[in-house]
Amino acid sequence: MIKAIIFDMDGLMIDSEMISYKCYKAILSQFGYSFTLNEYIQDYPGRPLIASLEFINKKYHLNYDIQEQLENFHQLEYQMIEKEGVPLKEGLLELLHYLKKNHYLTVIASSSHQERAEKLLESHNILQYFDSAVYGKDVKKGKPFPDIFLKACEKLQIKTSEALVLEDSEAGIQAAYDAQIPVICIPDLKYPQEEYINKTEIILQSLKEVIPYLEKE
C-alpha cells in the first residue's frame, strides 16, 4: 500500500531545466566553449550542481575553482529567475490537493540547495503541502545514488515499499531503483532510454495522470 509520495523538484514540479541549461551555457561561454541543449539533456538533468560543475571542469580541462563557479551559477540563476520566473508543471497543484485530501504523506527529495528550493516553492505557496524535505546537503551522495530517497523514507518513518517516487530524469530513476522504491517517470527534456524505462512502474505524460494511477492501486 502506498502511504507516501516522494517528489523530485527540478523538471518535475517546476519548469526550471531550461534556466539551468542557460546557466551552464553562460559559464562555458566565459571559457570560449559552446554548449548545446542536447549536451545538457544527455548528462546534466537530475544530478547535483556540484557534481555537474566538477564534470565540466574535468571534461573541458578548465581547472577552475569549484566554489567560485557555484557562486557564479547561483548568481546567473537568480538573475534569470528574477527576470523570467519559474512556472509550475501542469497538474502539480491538482495532485497536491488530491494527496492532502486523501491523507498521503509527501516529501521533497531534491539535489538542490535548500534555500533555493524553498524560495522557488514558497513563491508558488506550495511548501505547505509537504510533510518533509531532503536536500543535497542532507546526504553524502546525490543522484544517481539512492541516498536521498532512502533518507526521505527515513524522515517519514515508512518502509521503501510504502513509498512512490515521482521523477523526470534518468539519474532520479536509477536512484529510486537502487533504493528499491517504485518510481514513475514524467519526462521533461529527455525521454528515458530503454534501460531506465525498464526500471520504472510506468511513464506518464504529465502530473495530471498520477491521480488516475493512484486510484487504480
Side-chain angles (χ1 to χ4, degrees):
M1 179 181 175
I2 298 172
K3 294 182 178 179
I5 308 298
I6 304 175
F7 285 80
D8 173 49
M9 188 180 77
D10 290 285
L12 188 282
M13 287 198 286
I14 60 173
D15 198 4
S16 58
E17 292 290 6
M18 282 301 296
I19 288 178
S20 295
Y21 160 65
K22 291 176 183 177
C23 291
Y24 288 120
K25 183 177 181 179
I27 288 172
L28 277 164
S29 70
Q30 294 170 2
F31 294 94
Y33 289 96
S34 62
F35 186 60
T36 68
L37 180 58
N38 188 58
E39 287 176 297
Y40 174 79
I41 290 170
Q42 291 305 312
D43 292 314
Y44 296 86
R47 296 180 184 275
L49 173 57
I50 191 166
S52 292
L53 289 172
E54 289 171 346
F55 175 76
I56 286 172
N57 208 13
K58 184 176 180 180
K59 179 178 180 179
Y60 294 91
H61 310 289
L62 298 179
N63 197 32
Y64 59 44
D65 181 83
I66 296 295
Q67 187 59 41
E68 182 180 318
Q69 294 308 320
L70 275 170
E71 294 172 4
N72 187 15
F73 184 99
H74 287 311
Q75 182 62 29
L76 287 166
E77 183 183 55
Y78 174 79
Q79 292 170 355
M80 291 183 192
I81 289 173
E82 287 294 302
K83 181 180 178 180
E84 303 174 17
V86 182
L88 296 179
K89 285 287 194 171
E90 182 183 26
L92 177 62
L93 286 175
E94 294 90 335
L95 176 58
L96 291 174
H97 285 304
Y98 174 86
L99 295 175
K100 180 68 72 174
K101 181 180 178 181
N102 289 277
H103 309 294
Y104 285 90
L105 295 171
T106 52
V107 58
I108 301 162
S110 171
S111 301
S112 177
H113 188 275
Q114 181 175 352
E115 183 179 354
R116 169 187 178 269
E118 290 182 349
K119 181 179 179 180
L120 287 170
L121 297 177
E122 280 179 350
S123 71
H124 292 285
N125 197 32
I126 59 173
L127 266 181
Q128 61 180 310
Y129 290 100
F130 293 94
D131 298 294
S132 190
V134 184
Y135 300 107
K137 67 178 180 60
D138 299 320
V139 293
K140 290 183 178 180
K141 293 181 179 180
K143 302 170 190 177
F145 295 94
D147 304 37
I148 198 163
F149 292 136
L150 294 173
K151 185 73 173 179
C153 290
E154 180 185 321
K155 291 190 81 169
L156 293 180
Q157 298 182 322
I158 59 168
K159 300 175 183 177
T160 55
S161 60
E162 296 173 326
L164 175 69
V165 170
L166 301 181
E167 262 288 352
D168 68 290
S169 70
E170 292 177 342
I173 292 171
Q174 186 65 54
Y177 182 80
D178 287 343
Q180 298 184 6
I181 304 173
V183 55
I184 290 176
C185 179
I186 297 119
D188 183 30
L189 295 178
K190 180 184 181 183
Y191 198 87
Q193 297 180 57
E194 187 174 356
E195 66 173 297
Y196 295 100
I197 292 173
N198 293 336
K199 294 175 180 177
T200 70
E201 296 298 300
I202 192 171
I203 306 289
L204 299 179
Q205 296 302 308
S206 79
L207 290 169
K208 294 174 69 174
E209 298 180 13
V210 176
I211 294 174
Y213 176 88
L214 291 173
E215 289 179 340
K216 291 178 181 178
E217 289 297 299

